[in-house]
């Protein structure tokens, strides 16, 4: 299996501070890899190394088959960078920014203009194209920033916390844009502190903390990895709640977590138990309005993973 | 690399056009010094303001180009680095040196404007070139080249310190010992020993001698050669150091 992004044992220190303590990341072609972690976990350092802005102290980072240190110039032709630390010039208009980047990528002037126009259209900035970027709203600026990283038609895009500071509506808009990128076959590496964002966008997630990966899986796999699943039962008739709780307790062999406002929740070990509960509820004549097997939220996953005792030494 | 430098220079010019305030300190400060010295000290130093204007103007020309190069060049580089614009460029297949060269190139326009304004004001005050137009043009061209060479000092400071306050302080203060520690304002013979020693070894003295020679007559070849030599030294030392320090950022 060849990975479009392949990072092995990457280390980087700034003076006494260890930003990356040997990190491994892999992304398959055309997928979205979410790198999830709190502030200071090393996400931005990793992205800066991958985008050739920083030199690693040790380890290896290969992008599209090219070493980011040895083949830095060629890597720069193939990647786009957007996020906290790469940005557009606020004194220039949207068009001027994109045309400048096109010119720096050695596009002929006409082609640079045409591409700028296409990207501005695609990102809903056509009307603001002639205005200085300093007059743009936060959401518009992020979109221009993303457009800027796509001028060279990169096959790999790095997004460093692309929605930090955006309000929810703008965030959803950005999410749609990022998904459309991946749908077009671009490999995306996305860092985020929002578990919801990684869950919504990523095919696979690497959770990092203190400069190392503490978990890697698909969003669903990750949720399963830590903590069991929970069954949720809401009888149609609230008076039957106690009966429902009894059924759940018999099937799972556990006491129910809580019975609150007519909802019974209890941990379950496997899907078979869930099927049994469904069966027993039917036999007992307990009609339900809600019956679900719920995975723990990513927030819970993360809390569990970053508990000191959960981190492998 | 040349195409990239030009594209980046074009960007800087667009920025200057939209923020003309940056130009103002480069324009106003030298004119202010010219007017101040001529009318405050002219009578006392040279007997008449008119004679003193003739004496002072060639030095102010050098001061103008040095100031024009010092402050704004470093500032724009620091702002670009802090705002992440440079990071975007650096993540692209653009040579690192063209980023700095583009920035410095764009400044040449500012030098030309500053020099034209200075000659205009000088003329209005009564300054007259005592040689000929070609020599005056050469004086202006050399002054710009010299200012350009010295501007790499602030570029280096900008790359190393990445702090607006530090850069503007250095950019503003540095011209004083360099440009004023010469015979620009008064003949070196009237200075205390320590200052005259400094004025004698100060490379900017050669630039001012050359400027005086070209605008007023007098020895030209020697001072111009020394001015070019020193300009080359500044460019080689600080230019190389700045580009190296910049590359090392990775």
């Amino acid at each position: 299996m060849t990975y479009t992004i392949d990072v092995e044992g990457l280390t980087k220190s700034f003076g006494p501070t260890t930003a990356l303590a040997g990190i491994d990341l892999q992304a398959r072609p055309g997928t979205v890899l979410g790198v999830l972690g709190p502030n200071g976990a090393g996400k931005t350092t990793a992205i800066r190394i991958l985008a050739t802005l920083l030199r690693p102290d040790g380890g290896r980072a290969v992008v599209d088959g090219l070493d980011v240190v040895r083949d830095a110039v060629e890597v720069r032709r193939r990647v786009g960078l957007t996020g906290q630390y790469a940005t557009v010039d606020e004194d220039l208009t949207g068009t001027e920014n994109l045309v400048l980047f096109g010119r720096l990528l050695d596009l002929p002037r006409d082609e640079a203009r045409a591409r700028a126009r296409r990207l501005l259209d695609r990102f809903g900035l056509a009307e603001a194209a002639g205005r200085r970027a300093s007059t743009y709203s936060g959401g518009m600026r992020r979109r221009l920033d993303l457009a800027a990283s796509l001028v060279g038609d990169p096959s790999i895009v790095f997004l460093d916390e692309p929605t930090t500071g955006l309000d929810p509506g703008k965030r959803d808009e950005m999410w749609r844009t990022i998904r459309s990128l991946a749908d077009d076959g671009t490999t995306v590496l996305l860092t985020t502190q929002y578990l919801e964002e990684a869950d919504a966008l990523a095919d696979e997630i690497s959770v990092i903390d203190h400069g190392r990966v503490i978990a890697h899986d698909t969003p669903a796999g990750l949720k399963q990895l830590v903590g069991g699943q929970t069954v949720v039962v809401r009888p149609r008739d609230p008076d039957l709640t106690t009966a429902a709780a009894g059924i759940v307790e018999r099937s799972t062999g556990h006491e129910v977590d809580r019975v609150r406002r007519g909802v019974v929740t209890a941990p379950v070990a496997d899907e078979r138990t869930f099927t049994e509960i469904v069966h027993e509820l039917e036999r007992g004549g307990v009609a339900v309005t809600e019956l679900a097997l719920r995975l723990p939220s990513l927030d819970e996953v993360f809390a569990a993973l970053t508990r000191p005792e959960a981190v492998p030494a | 690399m040349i195409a990239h430098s030009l594209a980046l220079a074009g960007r800087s010019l667009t920025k200057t056009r939209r923020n003309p305030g940056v130009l103002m300190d480069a324009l106003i400060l030298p004119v202010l010094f010219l007017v101040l010295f001529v009318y405050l000290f002219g009578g006392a130093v040279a007997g008449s303001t008119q004679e003193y204007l003739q004496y002072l103007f060639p030095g102010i020309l050098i001061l103008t180009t040095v100031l024009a190069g010092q402050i704004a060049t470093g500032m724009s580089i620091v702002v670009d680095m802090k705002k992440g614009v440079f990071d975007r460029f650096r993540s692209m297949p653009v040579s690192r040196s063209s980023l700095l060269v583009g920035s410095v190139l764009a400044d040449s326009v500012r030098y030309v404007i500053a020099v034209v304004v200075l000659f205009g004001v000088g003329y209005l005050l009564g300054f007259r070139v005592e040689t000929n137009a070609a020599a005056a043009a050469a004086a202006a061209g050399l002054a710009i080249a010299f200012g350009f060479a010295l501007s790499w000092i602030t570029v280096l400071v900008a790359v190393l310190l990445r702090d607006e306050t530090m850069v503007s302080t250095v950019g503003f203060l540095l011209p004083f010992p360099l440009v004023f520690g010469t015979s620009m304002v008064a003949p070196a013979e009237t200075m205390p020993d320590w200052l005259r020693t400094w004025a004698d070894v100060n490379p900017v003295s050669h630039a001012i001698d050359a400027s005086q020679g070209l605008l007023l007559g007098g020895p030209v070849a020697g001072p111009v050669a020394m001015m070019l030599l020193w300009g080359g030294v500044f460019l080689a030392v600080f230019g190389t150091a700045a580009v190296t320090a910049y590359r090392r950022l990775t």
Side-chain angles (χ1 to χ4, degrees):
Chain A
M1 181 76 218
T2 48
Y3 295 104
T4 305
I5 297 168
D6 194 355
V7 173
E8 261 182 52
L10 209 59
T11 58
K12 179 77 186 177
S13 301
F14 299 101
T17 316
T18 304
L20 296 179
I23 200 172
D24 302 318
L25 297 170
Q26 273 93 30
R28 282 173 241 280
T31 63
V32 179
L33 173 66
V35 176
L36 179 65
N39 267 331
K43 303 186 299 285
T44 298
T45 305
I47 266 203
R48 288 175 68 86
I49 290 174
L50 283 168
T52 77
L53 295 180
L54 269 183
R55 234 171 243 275
D57 294 339
R60 205 171 57 96
V62 174
V63 172
D64 218 5
L66 298 162
D67 189 282
V68 297
V69 176
R70 254 198 340 264
D71 310 312
V73 176
E74 193 48 42
V75 169
R76 287 183 199 130
R77 287 200 178 278
R78 304 190 190 189
V79 304
L81 171 66
T82 295
Q84 293 174 294
Y85 292 99
T87 179
V88 295
D89 193 323
E90 299 195 344
D91 290 330
L92 300 185
T93 66
T95 304
E96 283 168 346
N97 263 298
L98 298 190
V99 170
L100 172 65
F101 298 135
R103 301 285 292 152
L104 292 177
L105 288 160
D106 300 319
L107 297 178
R109 194 176 293 271
D110 289 346
E111 175 60 20
R113 275 183 212 290
R115 251 187 231 191
R117 207 165 27 240
R118 271 206 305 278
L119 283 166
L120 290 166
D121 273 346
R122 174 173 170 193
F123 288 95
L125 294 168
E127 280 183 25
R131 271 169 37 205
R132 286 189 219 181
S134 54
T135 67
Y136 285 19
S137 68
M140 292 165 75
R141 219 173 288 191
R142 287 295 172 91
R143 293 207 300 279
L144 180 61
D145 213 8
L146 183 55
S149 66
L150 300 179
V151 171
D153 217 357
S155 49
I156 299 123
V157 174
F158 301 124
L159 303 174
D160 194 11
E161 303 197 2
T163 62
T164 300
L166 292 186
D167 56 54
K170 296 284 183 292
R171 191 196 58 184
D172 290 349
E173 208 173 271
M174 197 72 180
W175 282 5
R176 275 195 296 279
T177 311
I178 294 169
R179 273 198 211 99
S180 79
L181 264 183
D183 291 344
D184 292 345
T186 311
T187 307
V188 178
L189 186 149
L190 162 105
T191 70
T192 180
Q193 335 185 15
Y194 305 127
L195 309 150
E196 201 190 343
E197 183 160 273
D199 194 21
L201 295 174
D203 296 297
E204 291 180 27
I205 299 175
S206 292
V207 185
I208 71 170
D209 195 36
H210 294 106
R212 60 178 85 236
V213 176
I214 56 172
H216 175 89
D217 213 320
T218 59
L222 196 62
K223 285 186 263 193
Q224 219 150 8
L225 191 72
V226 186
Q229 308 169 77
T230 308
V231 65
V232 182
V233 179
R234 185 196 295 270
R236 174 163 293 149
D237 182 352
D239 292 341
L240 293 178
T241 307
T242 318
I247 291 169
V248 170
E249 275 180 3
R250 270 195 307 281
S251 301
T252 60
H254 287 290
E255 267 181 54
V256 296
D257 280 348
R258 52 176 190 250
V259 180
R260 202 169 43 185
R261 272 183 276 150
V263 181
V264 179
T265 57
V268 288
D270 52 37
E271 280 84 14
R272 265 227 321 275
T273 316
F274 181 69
T275 322
E276 196 186 315
I277 293 171
V278 175
H279 227 76
E280 291 298 316
L281 285 170
E282 205 183 314
R283 271 208 343 204
V286 181
V288 294
T289 54
E290 188 185 342
L291 178 59
L293 189 60
R294 192 174 68 81
L295 295 166
S297 77
L298 274 173
D299 282 301
E300 288 158 352
V301 169
F302 194 76
L305 285 173
T306 51
R307 265 200 306 268
E309 68 269 24
V311 181
Chain B
M1 140 110 192
I2 293 171
H4 290 169
S5 298
L6 288 177
L8 290 164
R11 158 182 176 259
S12 300
L13 287 182
T14 308
K15 286 170 74 80
T16 309
R17 216 175 52 234
R18 290 186 186 154
N19 300 300
V22 189
L23 255 173
M24 294 319 281
D25 54 330
L27 294 182
I28 290 175
L29 218 51
V31 169
L32 197 71
F33 279 125
L34 184 69
V35 172
L36 207 67
F37 285 136
V38 165
Y39 292 108
L40 280 181
F41 310 131
V45 176
S48 84
T49 53
Q50 194 52 44
E51 256 175 67
Y52 188 60
L53 177 62
Q54 290 296 111
Y55 175 82
L56 182 68
F57 187 88
I60 294 284
L61 175 62
I62 301 294
L63 176 69
T64 302
T65 57
V66 170
L67 272 178
Q70 291 299 319
I71 303 175
T73 306
M75 285 298 268
S76 60
I77 287 173
V78 172
V79 170
D80 276 353
M81 287 201 290
K82 280 210 164 163
K83 286 208 168 168
V85 181
F86 263 29
D87 275 350
R88 153 109 32 230
F89 293 144
R90 288 171 61 218
S91 75
M92 301 172 80
V94 176
S95 89
R96 308 277 150 118
S97 45
S98 58
L99 291 178
L100 298 182
V101 173
S103 199
V104 175
L105 258 180
D107 290 334
S108 52
V109 174
R110 197 168 52 229
Y111 293 118
V112 172
I113 295 174
V115 166
V116 168
V117 168
L118 181 71
F119 269 97
V121 173
Y123 187 83
L124 289 178
L125 294 181
F127 173 76
R128 295 294 177 268
V129 175
E130 292 171 20
T131 51
N132 53 55
L142 280 170
I144 289 172
F146 194 73
F148 167 85
L150 259 62
S151 73
W152 287 95
I153 300 173
T154 15
V155 175
L156 178 64
V157 173
V159 173
L160 289 180
L161 300 178
R162 277 184 274 176
D163 178 89
E164 289 101 321
T165 326
M166 283 302 286
V167 171
S168 71
T169 306
V170 171
F172 186 77
L173 290 182
L174 194 74
F176 283 85
L178 278 176
V179 182
F180 286 91
T182 63
S183 56
M184 177 181 87
V185 179
E189 297 81 68
T190 64
M191 297 174 185
D193 286 347
W194 60 270
L195 188 54
R196 191 169 50 207
T197 313
W198 165 240
D200 284 344
V201 298
N202 185 351
V204 181
S205 293
H206 302 297
I208 289 173
D209 291 346
S211 184
Q212 282 175 344
L214 284 164
L215 291 173
L216 308 175
V220 169
V224 167
M226 287 303 282
M227 178 186 186
L228 286 175
L229 179 72
W230 273 106
V233 169
F234 276 109
L235 186 62
V237 172
F238 291 98
T240 310
V243 173
T244 310
Y246 187 67
R247 285 217 178 99
R248 183 112 7 111
L249 282 183
T250 48

